[in-house]
Amino acid sequence: MILVTGGAGFIGSNFVLDWVASTGEAVLNLDKLTYAGNLETLESLAGDARHTFVQGDIVDRALLDGLLAAHRPRAIVHFAAESHVDRSIHGPGEFVRTNIEGTFTLLEAARGYWSGLDGAARDGFRFLHVSTDEVYGTLGAKDAAFTEDHPYAPNSPYSASKAASDHLVRAWHHTYGLPVVTTNCSNNYGPYQFPEKLIPLMIVNALAGKGLPVYGDGMQVRDWLYVTDHCAAIRAVLEGGRLGETYNIGGWNEMPNINIVHAICRALNDLRPDAAGDYERLVTYVTDRPGHDRRYAIDASKIERELGWRPSETFETGLRKTIEWYLSNPQWVGNVQSGAYREWVAKHYTS
Ligand code: NAD
Ligand code: DAU
């Protein structure tokens, strides 16, 4: 079995669903269930012996030691983090605690557990750290895309905390020999994303007739990847990634934010026309995010060359699937908006 941290969040839960469906291997899912954790997403695995959920904090060393000793995973896939840049600007403390101290604690627990393994179990053990392209900082309009050798230059409390965690992971390999691999991925989108991030926020606000807040001039560029393509890339790196290496993951799909907002409005005009008129009427330019990075772009040649991974969705197909998913799942969206999703543990996971 594998241990997944943060498996009730957006990418982690997509990964757990995808992992169980594609490999059948069991998952021990450790998640603190902050506002971003939502067990309703994993409803289809309730009662499935291949999914064990534990509510807990990656900063809790005793909990980690106990789980590793009891479940003896062959790998750790580490998603747990505070992930939203805007929240990191308003309250950086939790980002330092979870992303840096939490990764440190998990590395130390993993090192203790791995040191006690021998033979094939020791050789085969992996610690996969899920990170972000934001650690590289910002690009000018004509700069080449980020390669794995691009210098780190994080600009937000979020990206600085992720950069620190990447450095810890690297050091635990070089100093202690812990068998790690790190992935640095671009912006994900898809089903089950909390509507604080650009794409789901625009969809749910439009459907509610609320403003679509575009930061600054809307010409900031991100490189978008459909979430299940990210999950497949992580599986490929876990299986074949070289120890101590980092792998950039991206969709070769750079787009200014305002174009995304227009694309969402067009799709909604088509799929769910509003009697009040074109959704474009809701676009509202608002004050820019402080320190806003202008452009990210990922060069994903290394993972393609070494591991044969390629994204399977284009932005057009992925965005369409995403919008259709939000339209078809009003209960999930409603429970997130009302806060009812937080009652899920009490209702379904306590005896
Ligand atoms: P998310 O915010 O949706 O989910 C994070 C999960 O971690 C939540 O379920 C939360 O409850 C859990 N968590 C938070 N603090 C914890 C703690 N102390 N102990 C245990 N669990 C804790 O995040 P996401 O968008 O799914 O991102 C997952 C990972 O992927 C993060 O490490 C993020 O940096 C990275 N990443 C995200 C993106 C993206 O576009 N969303 C892109 C590249 C990399
Ligand atoms: O690049 C990978 C990163 O992508 C991940 O590491 C982060 O965890 C993830 O949150 C995401 O960070 P961003 O800041 O790029 O994502 P966000 O969805 O918050 O914003 C995307 C862009 O849209 C960004 O330029 C800010 C802008 N934006 C965002 C929101 C929420 C708006 O213009 N209006 C908004 O309301």
Side-chain angles (χ1 to χ4, degrees):
M1 67 125 63
I2 63 166
L3 167 61
V4 169
T5 71
F10 162 51
I11 306 173
S13 59
N14 274 285
F15 179 82
V16 168
L17 292 168
D18 182 73
W19 178 267
V20 170
S22 60
T23 72
E25 188 176 3
V27 173
L28 173 64
N29 181 354
L30 171 65
D31 195 296
K32 184 178 173 183
L33 296 182
T34 67
Y35 78 94
N38 185 349
L39 281 182
E40 196 174 339
T41 302
L42 296 168
E43 187 184 2
S44 61
L45 291 176
D48 190 320
R50 295 169 300 179
H51 179 236
T52 305
F53 180 76
V54 175
Q55 183 171 9
D57 195 323
I58 54 166
V59 175
D60 183 344
R61 176 69 193 271
L63 172 68
L64 294 174
D65 288 345
L67 290 175
L68 290 169
H71 294 272
R72 312 199 63 72
R74 70 173 181 90
I76 297 174
V77 183
H78 177 35
F79 293 95
E82 288 292 335
S83 70
H84 190 37
V85 174
D86 293 330
R87 285 181 192 255
S88 83
I89 294 167
H90 293 291
E94 270 311 291
F95 288 72
V96 170
R97 185 183 172 280
T98 285
N99 299 0
I100 305 178
E101 199 187 330
T103 301
F104 159 72
T105 310
L106 189 63
L107 282 166
E108 279 294 80
R111 182 163 77 91
Y113 167 67
W114 169 74
S115 306
L117 299 175
D118 36 42
R122 186 182 166 93
D123 294 344
F125 183 77
R126 293 287 179 275
F127 184 107
L128 191 151
H129 176 58
V130 179
S131 192
T132 171
D133 60 359
E134 300 202 11
V135 297
Y136 299 124
T138 190
L139 289 170
K142 297 206 159 68
D143 292 343
F146 300 129
T147 65
E148 288 78 2
D149 297 325
H150 198 92
Y152 272 37
N155 290 318
S156 73
Y158 163 68
S159 55
S161 68
K162 291 296 290 187
S165 70
D166 292 10
H167 292 323
L168 292 174
V169 172
R170 176 189 163 90
W172 260 240
H173 175 70
H174 284 273
T175 304
Y176 305 113
L178 190 70
V180 308
V181 265
T182 293
T183 55
N184 294 92
C185 189
S186 62
N187 285 60
N188 284 215
Y189 67 101
Y192 306 114
Q193 188 167 28
F194 195 82
E196 63 183 353
K197 307 280 167 67
L198 181 72
I199 289 180
L201 181 80
M202 295 297 156
I203 298 170
V204 305
N205 273 17
L207 292 174
K210 291 185 183 164
L212 308 179
V214 174
Y215 297 166
D217 63 2
M219 290 306 292
Q220 305 83 4
V221 171
R222 298 290 182 268
D223 182 350
W224 296 89
L225 182 69
Y226 192 68
V227 63
T228 50
D229 278 327
H230 187 189
C231 296
I234 291 172
R235 276 194 276 111
V237 173
L238 191 58
E239 200 178 318
R242 288 185 291 130
L243 296 184
E245 292 286 316
T246 65
Y247 291 87
N248 282 355
I249 304 171
W252 300 106
N253 184 50
E254 286 184 59
M255 198 152 319
N257 295 335
I258 189 64
N259 292 15
I260 291 182
V261 177
H262 291 324
I264 292 170
C265 290
R266 274 196 306 276
L268 286 175
N269 284 334
D270 180 24
L271 293 166
R272 184 68 60 86
D274 184 352
D278 191 320
Y279 288 102
E280 287 283 347
R281 75 187 191 283
L282 301 171
V283 172
T284 313
Y285 286 87
V286 299
T287 308
D288 208 351
R289 171 186 279 174
H292 201 170
D293 285 337
R294 195 69 181 162
R295 174 176 167 238
Y296 305 139
I298 277 279
D299 180 336
S301 318
K302 180 177 173 183
I303 186 172
E304 293 183 1
R305 196 175 55 245
E306 290 190 14
L307 302 175
W309 172 86
R310 290 273 319 173
S312 61
E313 298 289 344
T314 64
F315 189 66
E316 288 66 35
T317 60
L319 187 66
R320 189 78 175 190
K321 277 188 182 177
T322 304
I323 294 173
E324 283 171 352
W325 186 88
Y326 279 89
L327 289 174
S328 313
N329 288 275
Q331 186 176 331
W332 187 95
V333 173
N335 285 345
V336 165
Q337 286 174 318
S338 71
Y341 73 106
R342 306 206 73 172
E343 291 156 22
W344 200 260
V345 190
K347 249 194 249 161
H348 296 269
Y349 280 81
T350 46
S351 42

